[in-house]
Amino acid sequence: MKPHHWPWTFVFFAALGAVLLLAGGAALAGLLRGVHPLFGDDMAGWALIVSAVASFLTGAFPLALRRLAEREGA
């Protein structure tokens, strides 16, 4: 049986999504208000969280393709 490897695009987008999710949570908590004027708005945190979800979904696509290819024996 072949070893299973994570696609590097999945790893990259999952890490990016985790960073965005942490930054979004910090922005919603008000921890980033002094960093940049855009973080003074509450919607900035939500925008980062939505970007994190989009990043996770982008990373899931090559992972699903890899799993389908492994299932067919490619």
Side-chain angles (χ1 to χ4, degrees):
M1 181 172 228
K2 293 172 30 177
H4 298 287
H5 297 289
W6 299 100
W8 67 269
T9 51
F10 168 75
V11 174
F12 174 76
F13 283 110
L16 180 63
V19 170
L20 288 169
L21 190 61
L22 289 173
L28 281 178
L31 300 174
L32 299 178
R33 289 196 189 273
V35 175
H36 194 276
L38 290 177
F39 289 128
D41 186 14
D42 289 335
M43 294 305 290
W46 288 111
L48 288 170
I49 290 173
V50 168
S51 297
V53 170
S55 181
F56 287 135
L57 291 175
T58 301
F61 185 71
L63 181 65
L65 289 178
R66 169 72 59 97
R67 297 292 181 212
L68 287 172
E70 287 176 353
R71 185 177 294 173
E72 292 201 9

